[in-house]
Short mmCIF file of all heavy atoms in Angstrom, two decimals:
data_model
loop_
_atom_site.label_atom_id
_atom_site.label_comp_id
_atom_site.label_asym_id
_atom_site.label_seq_id
_atom_site.Cartn_x
_atom_site.Cartn_y
_atom_site.Cartn_z
N ILE E 1 -9.72 27.10 10.10
CA ILE E 1 -11.05 26.59 9.86
C ILE E 1 -11.13 25.23 9.44
O ILE E 1 -10.34 24.81 8.39
CB ILE E 1 -11.78 27.47 8.72
CG1 ILE E 1 -11.84 28.98 9.09
CG2 ILE E 1 -13.24 26.98 8.45
CD1 ILE E 1 -12.24 29.86 8.03
N ARG E 2 -11.61 24.36 10.20
CA ARG E 2 -11.67 22.92 9.92
C ARG E 2 -12.80 22.52 9.03
O ARG E 2 -13.93 22.86 9.43
CB ARG E 2 -11.66 22.18 11.34
CG ARG E 2 -10.49 22.35 12.10
CD ARG E 2 -10.67 22.01 13.65
NE ARG E 2 -11.24 20.66 13.71
CZ ARG E 2 -10.53 19.50 13.67
NH1 ARG E 2 -9.32 19.57 13.53
NH2 ARG E 2 -11.15 18.26 13.77
N VAL E 3 -12.57 21.88 7.92
CA VAL E 3 -13.56 21.62 6.90
C VAL E 3 -13.79 20.11 6.67
O VAL E 3 -12.75 19.29 6.56
CB VAL E 3 -13.27 22.25 5.53
CG1 VAL E 3 -14.33 21.85 4.56
CG2 VAL E 3 -13.25 23.78 5.74
N LEU E 4 -14.95 19.69 6.66
CA LEU E 4 -15.33 18.26 6.27
C LEU E 4 -16.04 18.31 4.84
O LEU E 4 -16.94 19.18 4.76
CB LEU E 4 -16.31 17.59 7.28
CG LEU E 4 -16.84 16.20 6.93
CD1 LEU E 4 -15.72 15.20 6.87
CD2 LEU E 4 -17.90 15.78 7.89
N ILE E 5 -15.62 17.51 3.92
CA ILE E 5 -16.17 17.43 2.50
C ILE E 5 -17.04 16.11 2.44
O ILE E 5 -16.58 15.09 2.60
CB ILE E 5 -15.07 17.56 1.57
CG1 ILE E 5 -14.35 18.83 1.65
CG2 ILE E 5 -15.78 17.47 0.17
CD1 ILE E 5 -13.04 18.88 0.70
N ALA E 6 -18.36 16.38 2.15
CA ALA E 6 -19.26 15.30 2.00
C ALA E 6 -19.82 15.18 0.51
O ALA E 6 -20.60 16.04 0.24
CB ALA E 6 -20.47 15.29 3.03
N ASP E 7 -19.42 14.25 -0.14
CA ASP E 7 -19.76 14.05 -1.59
C ASP E 7 -19.53 12.71 -1.99
O ASP E 7 -18.59 12.09 -1.64
CB ASP E 7 -19.01 15.13 -2.52
CG ASP E 7 -19.73 15.31 -3.81
OD1 ASP E 7 -19.76 14.29 -4.59
OD2 ASP E 7 -20.23 16.31 -4.14
N ASP E 8 -20.46 12.07 -2.72
CA ASP E 8 -20.26 10.69 -3.19
C ASP E 8 -19.38 10.51 -4.33
O ASP E 8 -19.09 9.35 -4.69
CB ASP E 8 -21.72 10.10 -3.40
CG ASP E 8 -22.37 10.68 -4.51
OD1 ASP E 8 -22.28 11.92 -4.69
OD2 ASP E 8 -23.25 9.97 -5.29
N GLN E 9 -18.89 11.74 -4.91
CA GLN E 9 -18.05 11.57 -6.10
C GLN E 9 -16.60 11.78 -5.59
O GLN E 9 -16.31 12.76 -5.09
CB GLN E 9 -18.38 12.55 -7.08
CG GLN E 9 -19.75 12.39 -7.70
CD GLN E 9 -20.15 13.38 -8.86
OE1 GLN E 9 -19.25 13.72 -9.59
NE2 GLN E 9 -21.24 13.83 -8.90
N VAL E 10 -15.71 10.82 -5.84
CA VAL E 10 -14.31 10.81 -5.38
C VAL E 10 -13.70 12.06 -5.89
O VAL E 10 -12.90 12.83 -5.17
CB VAL E 10 -13.57 9.50 -5.73
CG1 VAL E 10 -12.15 9.70 -5.39
CG2 VAL E 10 -14.27 8.37 -5.21
N MET E 11 -13.83 12.34 -7.13
CA MET E 11 -13.14 13.49 -7.84
C MET E 11 -13.48 14.90 -7.26
O MET E 11 -12.75 15.69 -7.08
CB MET E 11 -13.42 13.43 -9.39
CG MET E 11 -12.66 12.28 -10.00
SD MET E 11 -12.98 12.32 -11.81
CE MET E 11 -12.04 13.87 -12.30
N VAL E 12 -14.81 14.96 -6.96
CA VAL E 12 -15.29 16.18 -6.25
C VAL E 12 -14.52 16.30 -4.95
O VAL E 12 -14.02 17.40 -4.57
CB VAL E 12 -16.78 16.22 -6.10
CG1 VAL E 12 -17.17 17.40 -5.25
CG2 VAL E 12 -17.39 16.30 -7.48
N ARG E 13 -14.60 15.28 -4.11
CA ARG E 13 -13.96 15.41 -2.71
C ARG E 13 -12.52 15.64 -2.86
O ARG E 13 -12.02 16.52 -2.13
CB ARG E 13 -14.12 13.99 -2.04
CG ARG E 13 -15.65 13.65 -1.69
CD ARG E 13 -15.67 12.62 -0.65
NE ARG E 13 -14.89 11.44 -0.91
CZ ARG E 13 -15.31 10.37 -1.58
NH1 ARG E 13 -16.60 10.33 -2.03
NH2 ARG E 13 -14.47 9.24 -1.77
N GLN E 14 -11.76 14.96 -3.70
CA GLN E 14 -10.44 15.19 -3.86
C GLN E 14 -10.05 16.57 -4.44
O GLN E 14 -9.14 17.18 -3.94
CB GLN E 14 -9.72 14.12 -4.66
CG GLN E 14 -9.78 12.78 -4.07
CD GLN E 14 -9.23 11.63 -4.95
OE1 GLN E 14 -9.01 11.80 -6.11
NE2 GLN E 14 -8.86 10.51 -4.38
N GLY E 15 -10.86 17.02 -5.38
CA GLY E 15 -10.69 18.30 -6.00
C GLY E 15 -10.65 19.36 -4.95
O GLY E 15 -9.86 20.33 -4.80
N PHE E 16 -11.85 19.37 -4.10
CA PHE E 16 -12.05 20.43 -3.21
C PHE E 16 -10.97 20.31 -2.04
O PHE E 16 -10.51 21.32 -1.54
CB PHE E 16 -13.46 20.25 -2.56
CG PHE E 16 -14.53 20.72 -3.40
CD1 PHE E 16 -15.88 20.43 -3.08
CD2 PHE E 16 -14.23 21.50 -4.45
CE1 PHE E 16 -16.96 21.10 -3.89
CE2 PHE E 16 -15.34 22.19 -5.30
CZ PHE E 16 -16.58 21.89 -4.95
N THR E 17 -10.50 19.07 -1.77
CA THR E 17 -9.50 18.99 -0.70
C THR E 17 -8.20 19.59 -1.15
O THR E 17 -7.53 20.31 -0.42
CB THR E 17 -9.17 17.41 -0.54
OG1 THR E 17 -10.44 16.79 -0.01
CG2 THR E 17 -8.10 17.24 0.57
N VAL E 18 -7.89 19.47 -2.44
CA VAL E 18 -6.64 20.10 -3.02
C VAL E 18 -6.71 21.63 -2.97
O VAL E 18 -5.90 22.28 -2.55
CB VAL E 18 -6.41 19.59 -4.45
CG1 VAL E 18 -5.20 20.39 -5.01
CG2 VAL E 18 -6.01 18.09 -4.37
N LEU E 19 -7.93 22.06 -3.50
CA LEU E 19 -8.13 23.54 -3.56
C LEU E 19 -8.12 24.21 -2.16
O LEU E 19 -7.42 25.22 -1.89
CB LEU E 19 -9.46 23.83 -4.30
CG LEU E 19 -9.59 23.47 -5.74
CD1 LEU E 19 -10.92 23.67 -6.27
CD2 LEU E 19 -8.57 24.35 -6.53
N LEU E 20 -8.73 23.47 -1.18
CA LEU E 20 -8.84 24.15 0.16
C LEU E 20 -7.53 23.96 0.93
O LEU E 20 -7.17 24.86 1.71
CB LEU E 20 -9.98 23.56 0.96
CG LEU E 20 -11.38 24.03 0.58
CD1 LEU E 20 -12.52 23.14 1.18
CD2 LEU E 20 -11.61 25.55 0.56
N GLY E 21 -6.89 22.86 0.71
CA GLY E 21 -5.61 22.68 1.25
C GLY E 21 -4.46 23.59 0.90
O GLY E 21 -3.55 23.87 1.67
N ALA E 22 -4.68 24.34 -0.18
CA ALA E 22 -3.74 25.27 -0.63
C ALA E 22 -4.04 26.72 -0.02
O ALA E 22 -3.24 27.61 -0.13
CB ALA E 22 -3.78 25.37 -2.09
N GLU E 23 -5.16 26.83 0.70
CA GLU E 23 -5.52 28.10 1.27
C GLU E 23 -5.01 28.22 2.74
O GLU E 23 -5.26 27.22 3.54
CB GLU E 23 -7.08 28.17 1.25
CG GLU E 23 -7.70 28.25 0.00
CD GLU E 23 -7.43 29.67 -0.80
OE1 GLU E 23 -7.17 30.58 -0.04
OE2 GLU E 23 -7.42 29.69 -2.03
N PRO E 24 -4.45 29.41 3.11
CA PRO E 24 -4.00 29.61 4.36
C PRO E 24 -5.20 29.69 5.36
O PRO E 24 -6.25 30.29 5.04
CB PRO E 24 -3.27 31.03 4.38
CG PRO E 24 -3.88 31.61 3.09
CD PRO E 24 -4.14 30.52 2.08
N GLY E 25 -5.05 29.02 6.52
CA GLY E 25 -6.14 29.14 7.47
C GLY E 25 -7.24 28.17 7.35
O GLY E 25 -8.21 28.31 8.07
N ILE E 26 -7.09 27.35 6.33
CA ILE E 26 -8.17 26.29 6.15
C ILE E 26 -7.59 24.96 6.10
O ILE E 26 -6.60 24.67 5.46
CB ILE E 26 -8.83 26.54 4.83
CG1 ILE E 26 -9.66 27.89 4.83
CG2 ILE E 26 -9.94 25.49 4.49
CD1 ILE E 26 -10.33 28.27 3.52
N GLU E 27 -8.10 23.93 6.77
CA GLU E 27 -7.63 22.66 6.86
C GLU E 27 -8.87 21.68 6.57
O GLU E 27 -9.87 21.70 7.19
CB GLU E 27 -7.05 22.36 8.29
CG GLU E 27 -6.57 20.88 8.46
CD GLU E 27 -6.21 20.52 9.73
OE1 GLU E 27 -6.28 21.45 10.65
OE2 GLU E 27 -5.64 19.42 10.03
N VAL E 28 -8.66 20.74 5.73
CA VAL E 28 -9.60 19.71 5.39
C VAL E 28 -9.36 18.54 6.37
O VAL E 28 -8.25 17.92 6.26
CB VAL E 28 -9.53 19.22 3.91
CG1 VAL E 28 -10.52 18.02 3.77
CG2 VAL E 28 -9.89 20.32 2.99
N VAL E 29 -10.26 18.34 7.22
CA VAL E 29 -9.98 17.34 8.26
C VAL E 29 -10.63 15.88 7.97
O VAL E 29 -10.36 14.95 8.63
CB VAL E 29 -10.44 17.83 9.66
CG1 VAL E 29 -9.74 19.03 10.17
CG2 VAL E 29 -12.03 18.03 9.65
N GLY E 30 -11.46 15.95 6.92
CA GLY E 30 -12.03 14.58 6.64
C GLY E 30 -12.86 14.53 5.41
O GLY E 30 -13.21 15.75 4.82
N GLN E 31 -13.17 13.42 4.77
CA GLN E 31 -13.96 13.25 3.61
C GLN E 31 -15.01 12.36 3.83
O GLN E 31 -14.83 11.18 4.31
CB GLN E 31 -13.18 12.85 2.34
CG GLN E 31 -12.13 13.82 1.89
CD GLN E 31 -11.29 13.39 0.66
OE1 GLN E 31 -11.89 12.67 -0.11
NE2 GLN E 31 -10.16 13.86 0.55
N ALA E 32 -16.34 12.58 3.56
CA ALA E 32 -17.45 11.74 3.84
C ALA E 32 -18.06 11.27 2.53
O ALA E 32 -18.13 12.11 1.64
CB ALA E 32 -18.43 12.41 4.74
N VAL E 33 -18.32 9.91 2.39
CA VAL E 33 -18.87 9.44 1.09
C VAL E 33 -20.26 9.58 0.92
O VAL E 33 -20.80 9.30 -0.14
CB VAL E 33 -18.43 7.94 0.93
CG1 VAL E 33 -16.95 7.88 0.95
CG2 VAL E 33 -18.97 7.16 2.06
N ASP E 34 -21.13 9.89 2.10
CA ASP E 34 -22.56 10.09 1.98
C ASP E 34 -22.90 10.79 3.30
O ASP E 34 -22.14 11.14 4.08
CB ASP E 34 -23.25 8.70 1.86
CG ASP E 34 -22.94 7.71 2.97
OD1 ASP E 34 -22.82 8.12 4.10
OD2 ASP E 34 -22.85 6.47 2.67
N GLY E 35 -24.35 11.04 3.33
CA GLY E 35 -24.75 11.84 4.45
C GLY E 35 -24.57 11.16 5.79
O GLY E 35 -24.30 11.89 6.82
N GLN E 36 -24.85 9.88 5.80
CA GLN E 36 -24.57 9.12 7.11
C GLN E 36 -23.16 9.26 7.57
O GLN E 36 -22.90 9.50 8.78
CB GLN E 36 -25.04 7.67 6.94
CG GLN E 36 -24.95 6.86 8.28
CD GLN E 36 -25.84 7.41 9.42
OE1 GLN E 36 -26.98 7.71 9.07
NE2 GLN E 36 -25.40 7.33 10.57
N ASP E 37 -22.30 9.06 6.65
CA ASP E 37 -20.78 9.21 7.00
C ASP E 37 -20.49 10.55 7.47
O ASP E 37 -19.72 10.87 8.27
CB ASP E 37 -20.00 8.87 5.75
CG ASP E 37 -18.51 8.77 6.00
OD1 ASP E 37 -18.16 8.43 7.10
OD2 ASP E 37 -17.75 8.71 4.99
#
């Protein structure tokens, strides 16, 4: 499952990336800093 994380807070993006990155079958493919991104 390919996941994109969109949040303007760096710590939230990084935290979710770490948590999901440790899960089998889930890959964080990108981080967006706002809705347009």
Side-chain angles (χ1 to χ4, degrees):
I1 300 171
R2 295 163 50 82
V3 178
L4 172 69
I5 299 172
D7 197 293
D8 60 331
Q9 298 183 40
V10 176
M11 291 184 65
V12 172
R13 296 197 306 270
Q14 293 180 345
F16 281 168
T17 297
V18 171
L19 292 176
L20 290 175
E23 292 289 334
I26 297 178
E27 176 187 6
V28 177
V29 296
Q31 297 182 26
V33 299
D34 56 38
Q36 182 61 41
D37 191 18

